[in-house]
Short mmCIF file of all heavy atoms in Angstrom, two decimals:
data_model
loop_
_atom_site.label_atom_id
_atom_site.label_comp_id
_atom_site.label_asym_id
_atom_site.label_seq_id
_atom_site.Cartn_x
_atom_site.Cartn_y
_atom_site.Cartn_z
N LYS A 14 0.81 -2.07 -10.63
CA LYS A 14 -0.53 -2.45 -11.07
C LYS A 14 -0.69 -3.96 -11.07
O LYS A 14 0.16 -4.69 -11.55
CB LYS A 14 -0.81 -1.89 -12.46
CG LYS A 14 -1.18 -0.43 -12.48
CD LYS A 14 -1.45 0.05 -13.90
CE LYS A 14 -1.80 1.54 -13.91
NZ LYS A 14 -2.00 2.04 -15.29
N GLY A 15 -1.81 -4.42 -10.51
CA GLY A 15 -2.08 -5.84 -10.45
C GLY A 15 -1.44 -6.53 -9.25
O GLY A 15 -1.75 -7.70 -8.99
N ARG A 16 -0.57 -5.82 -8.53
CA ARG A 16 0.08 -6.42 -7.36
C ARG A 16 -0.29 -5.71 -6.07
O ARG A 16 -0.35 -6.33 -5.01
CB ARG A 16 1.60 -6.37 -7.53
CG ARG A 16 2.12 -7.12 -8.74
CD ARG A 16 3.65 -7.21 -8.73
NE ARG A 16 4.30 -5.91 -8.78
CZ ARG A 16 5.16 -5.47 -7.86
NH1 ARG A 16 5.45 -6.22 -6.81
NH2 ARG A 16 5.72 -4.27 -7.99
N PHE A 17 -0.53 -4.41 -6.15
CA PHE A 17 -0.83 -3.61 -4.97
C PHE A 17 -2.28 -3.13 -5.03
O PHE A 17 -2.81 -2.86 -6.11
CB PHE A 17 0.08 -2.39 -4.88
CG PHE A 17 1.52 -2.66 -4.56
CD1 PHE A 17 2.05 -3.94 -4.59
CD2 PHE A 17 2.36 -1.62 -4.24
CE1 PHE A 17 3.38 -4.19 -4.31
CE2 PHE A 17 3.69 -1.83 -3.95
CZ PHE A 17 4.21 -3.12 -3.98
N THR A 18 -2.89 -2.99 -3.85
CA THR A 18 -4.25 -2.46 -3.75
C THR A 18 -4.33 -1.46 -2.61
O THR A 18 -3.96 -1.77 -1.47
CB THR A 18 -5.26 -3.58 -3.49
OG1 THR A 18 -5.19 -4.56 -4.54
CG2 THR A 18 -6.68 -3.02 -3.44
N ILE A 19 -4.80 -0.27 -2.94
CA ILE A 19 -5.01 0.76 -1.93
C ILE A 19 -6.49 0.75 -1.55
O ILE A 19 -7.36 0.56 -2.40
CB ILE A 19 -4.57 2.15 -2.42
CG1 ILE A 19 -4.65 3.18 -1.28
CG2 ILE A 19 -5.38 2.60 -3.63
CD1 ILE A 19 -4.04 4.54 -1.64
N SER A 20 -6.76 0.94 -0.27
CA SER A 20 -8.14 1.00 0.18
C SER A 20 -8.22 1.93 1.39
O SER A 20 -7.19 2.28 1.98
CB SER A 20 -8.67 -0.39 0.53
OG SER A 20 -7.92 -0.96 1.59
N ARG A 21 -9.45 2.28 1.73
CA ARG A 21 -9.62 3.17 2.88
C ARG A 21 -10.82 2.74 3.70
O ARG A 21 -11.81 2.23 3.16
CB ARG A 21 -9.78 4.61 2.41
CG ARG A 21 -11.00 4.89 1.54
CD ARG A 21 -10.93 6.29 0.93
NE ARG A 21 -10.86 7.31 1.96
CZ ARG A 21 -10.37 8.53 1.75
NH1 ARG A 21 -9.88 8.87 0.57
NH2 ARG A 21 -10.36 9.40 2.74
N ASP A 22 -10.71 2.93 5.00
CA ASP A 22 -11.81 2.69 5.92
C ASP A 22 -12.00 3.98 6.70
O ASP A 22 -11.31 4.24 7.69
CB ASP A 22 -11.48 1.52 6.85
CG ASP A 22 -12.65 1.14 7.73
OD1 ASP A 22 -13.54 1.98 7.97
OD2 ASP A 22 -12.69 -0.02 8.19
N ASN A 23 -12.92 4.80 6.23
CA ASN A 23 -13.11 6.11 6.83
C ASN A 23 -13.57 6.01 8.28
O ASN A 23 -13.22 6.85 9.12
CB ASN A 23 -14.10 6.94 6.02
CG ASN A 23 -13.56 7.30 4.65
OD1 ASN A 23 -12.34 7.44 4.46
ND2 ASN A 23 -14.46 7.46 3.69
N ALA A 24 -14.34 5.00 8.59
CA ALA A 24 -14.83 4.83 9.96
C ALA A 24 -13.69 4.57 10.94
O ALA A 24 -13.76 4.95 12.11
CB ALA A 24 -15.84 3.70 10.03
N LYS A 25 -12.64 3.94 10.43
CA LYS A 25 -11.46 3.66 11.26
C LYS A 25 -10.35 4.68 11.05
O LYS A 25 -9.27 4.54 11.62
CB LYS A 25 -10.94 2.26 10.97
CG LYS A 25 -11.89 1.14 11.35
CD LYS A 25 -11.27 -0.23 11.10
CE LYS A 25 -12.20 -1.35 11.54
NZ LYS A 25 -11.63 -2.69 11.29
N SER A 26 -10.59 5.64 10.19
CA SER A 26 -9.59 6.66 9.88
C SER A 26 -8.27 6.02 9.44
O SER A 26 -7.18 6.45 9.86
CB SER A 26 -9.36 7.58 11.09
OG SER A 26 -10.52 8.30 11.41
N THR A 27 -8.37 5.02 8.61
CA THR A 27 -7.20 4.25 8.22
C THR A 27 -7.20 3.98 6.72
O THR A 27 -8.25 3.71 6.13
CB THR A 27 -7.14 2.91 8.97
OG1 THR A 27 -7.13 3.17 10.39
CG2 THR A 27 -5.88 2.13 8.61
N VAL A 28 -6.01 4.07 6.14
CA VAL A 28 -5.80 3.73 4.74
C VAL A 28 -4.84 2.55 4.69
O VAL A 28 -3.92 2.46 5.51
CB VAL A 28 -5.24 4.93 3.96
CG1 VAL A 28 -4.95 4.56 2.52
CG2 VAL A 28 -6.21 6.09 4.02
N TYR A 29 -5.06 1.67 3.75
CA TYR A 29 -4.26 0.46 3.64
C TYR A 29 -3.58 0.38 2.27
O TYR A 29 -4.07 0.93 1.28
CB TYR A 29 -5.13 -0.77 3.83
CG TYR A 29 -5.90 -0.79 5.11
CD1 TYR A 29 -7.24 -0.39 5.15
CD2 TYR A 29 -5.31 -1.22 6.29
CE1 TYR A 29 -7.95 -0.40 6.33
CE2 TYR A 29 -6.01 -1.25 7.48
CZ TYR A 29 -7.33 -0.84 7.50
OH TYR A 29 -8.04 -0.86 8.68
N LEU A 30 -2.46 -0.35 2.26
CA LEU A 30 -1.82 -0.71 1.01
C LEU A 30 -1.49 -2.19 1.10
O LEU A 30 -0.58 -2.58 1.83
CB LEU A 30 -0.55 0.12 0.76
CG LEU A 30 0.12 -0.16 -0.59
CD1 LEU A 30 -0.77 0.37 -1.72
CD2 LEU A 30 1.50 0.49 -0.66
N GLN A 31 -2.26 -2.99 0.40
CA GLN A 31 -2.01 -4.43 0.33
C GLN A 31 -1.02 -4.68 -0.80
O GLN A 31 -1.28 -4.33 -1.95
CB GLN A 31 -3.31 -5.19 0.06
CG GLN A 31 -3.12 -6.68 -0.07
CD GLN A 31 -2.70 -7.33 1.22
OE1 GLN A 31 -3.29 -7.08 2.28
NE2 GLN A 31 -1.66 -8.16 1.16
N MET A 32 0.09 -5.28 -0.45
CA MET A 32 1.16 -5.52 -1.43
C MET A 32 1.37 -7.02 -1.58
O MET A 32 1.60 -7.72 -0.59
CB MET A 32 2.45 -4.85 -0.97
CG MET A 32 2.31 -3.36 -0.68
SD MET A 32 3.86 -2.55 -0.28
CE MET A 32 4.27 -3.37 1.25
N SER A 33 1.28 -7.49 -2.80
CA SER A 33 1.45 -8.92 -3.09
C SER A 33 2.50 -9.09 -4.18
O SER A 33 2.86 -8.14 -4.86
CB SER A 33 0.12 -9.52 -3.53
OG SER A 33 -0.88 -9.34 -2.55
N SER A 34 2.97 -10.33 -4.32
CA SER A 34 3.99 -10.64 -5.33
C SER A 34 5.13 -9.64 -5.26
O SER A 34 5.58 -9.10 -6.28
CB SER A 34 3.36 -10.63 -6.72
OG SER A 34 2.31 -11.58 -6.80
N LEU A 35 5.60 -9.41 -4.06
CA LEU A 35 6.64 -8.40 -3.86
C LEU A 35 7.94 -8.78 -4.55
O LEU A 35 8.30 -9.97 -4.63
CB LEU A 35 6.87 -8.17 -2.38
CG LEU A 35 5.79 -7.31 -1.70
CD1 LEU A 35 5.80 -7.49 -0.20
CD2 LEU A 35 5.98 -5.85 -2.07
N LYS A 36 8.64 -7.76 -5.01
CA LYS A 36 9.89 -7.93 -5.72
C LYS A 36 10.99 -7.14 -5.00
O LYS A 36 10.68 -6.14 -4.34
CB LYS A 36 9.75 -7.41 -7.16
CG LYS A 36 8.61 -8.04 -7.93
CD LYS A 36 8.46 -7.38 -9.30
CE LYS A 36 7.29 -8.00 -10.07
NZ LYS A 36 7.14 -7.38 -11.41
N PRO A 37 12.23 -7.53 -5.17
CA PRO A 37 13.31 -6.76 -4.53
C PRO A 37 13.27 -5.27 -4.89
O PRO A 37 13.63 -4.43 -4.07
CB PRO A 37 14.57 -7.46 -5.06
CG PRO A 37 14.14 -8.89 -5.26
CD PRO A 37 12.73 -8.78 -5.77
N LYS A 38 12.84 -4.94 -6.09
CA LYS A 38 12.79 -3.54 -6.49
C LYS A 38 11.70 -2.76 -5.77
O LYS A 38 11.62 -1.53 -5.91
CB LYS A 38 12.60 -3.41 -8.00
CG LYS A 38 11.27 -3.92 -8.53
CD LYS A 38 11.19 -3.74 -10.04
CE LYS A 38 9.87 -4.22 -10.60
NZ LYS A 38 9.78 -4.02 -12.07
N ASP A 39 10.84 -3.43 -5.02
CA ASP A 39 9.85 -2.75 -4.19
C ASP A 39 10.45 -2.26 -2.88
O ASP A 39 9.78 -1.57 -2.10
CB ASP A 39 8.67 -3.67 -3.89
CG ASP A 39 7.87 -4.04 -5.13
OD1 ASP A 39 7.63 -3.15 -5.98
OD2 ASP A 39 7.49 -5.22 -5.26
N THR A 40 11.68 -2.64 -2.61
CA THR A 40 12.34 -2.22 -1.38
C THR A 40 12.46 -0.69 -1.32
O THR A 40 12.98 -0.07 -2.25
CB THR A 40 13.74 -2.85 -1.28
OG1 THR A 40 13.60 -4.26 -1.16
CG2 THR A 40 14.50 -2.31 -0.07
N ALA A 41 11.95 -0.11 -0.25
CA ALA A 41 11.93 1.35 -0.11
C ALA A 41 11.32 1.70 1.24
O ALA A 41 10.77 0.84 1.94
CB ALA A 41 11.11 1.99 -1.23
N VAL A 42 11.42 2.98 1.57
CA VAL A 42 10.62 3.51 2.68
C VAL A 42 9.29 3.96 2.09
O VAL A 42 9.27 4.70 1.10
CB VAL A 42 11.32 4.68 3.38
CG1 VAL A 42 10.43 5.25 4.48
CG2 VAL A 42 12.66 4.24 3.95
N TYR A 43 8.22 3.50 2.68
CA TYR A 43 6.88 3.81 2.19
C TYR A 43 6.24 4.86 3.08
O TYR A 43 6.24 4.72 4.31
CB TYR A 43 6.02 2.55 2.15
CG TYR A 43 6.36 1.65 0.99
CD1 TYR A 43 7.56 0.95 0.95
CD2 TYR A 43 5.48 1.52 -0.09
CE1 TYR A 43 7.89 0.15 -0.13
CE2 TYR A 43 5.79 0.71 -1.17
CZ TYR A 43 7.00 0.03 -1.19
OH TYR A 43 7.30 -0.77 -2.26
N TYR A 44 5.70 5.89 2.43
CA TYR A 44 5.10 7.01 3.15
C TYR A 44 3.62 7.12 2.81
O TYR A 44 3.22 6.99 1.65
CB TYR A 44 5.78 8.32 2.76
CG TYR A 44 7.24 8.40 3.10
CD1 TYR A 44 8.21 8.01 2.19
CD2 TYR A 44 7.65 8.87 4.35
CE1 TYR A 44 9.56 8.08 2.51
CE2 TYR A 44 8.99 8.95 4.67
CZ TYR A 44 9.94 8.55 3.75
OH TYR A 44 11.27 8.63 4.08
N CYS A 45 2.85 7.42 3.82
CA CYS A 45 1.44 7.74 3.65
C CYS A 45 1.31 9.26 3.62
O CYS A 45 2.05 9.97 4.33
CB CYS A 45 0.66 7.17 4.84
SG CYS A 45 -1.08 7.58 4.89
N ALA A 46 0.38 9.75 2.81
CA ALA A 46 0.19 11.20 2.71
C ALA A 46 -1.28 11.52 2.52
O ALA A 46 -2.03 10.72 1.95
CB ALA A 46 1.00 11.76 1.55
N SER A 47 -1.67 12.70 2.97
CA SER A 47 -3.04 13.16 2.77
C SER A 47 -3.04 14.58 2.22
O SER A 47 -2.12 15.36 2.44
CB SER A 47 -3.84 13.11 4.07
OG SER A 47 -3.43 14.13 4.96
#
């Protein structure tokens, strides 16, 4: 919270995850799901 932002652009059929102030503990495989 306060570091990541999820958004969607339906016209482009795309979802985004903007990640800021990244920390080593954010290290992972990131998966998108619907």
Side-chain angles (χ1 to χ4, degrees):
K14 281 180 181 177
R16 299 189 299 122
F17 291 11
T18 302
I19 187 172
S20 61
R21 62 190 301 157
D22 186 336
N23 293 331
K25 295 183 178 179
S26 297
T27 302
V28 177
Y29 304 98
L30 184 69
Q31 178 67 48
M32 305 185 295
S33 303
S34 301
L35 283 161
K36 305 175 181 181
K38 66 180 181 179
D39 294 318
T40 295
V42 177
Y43 284 70
Y44 298 91
C45 175
S47 72

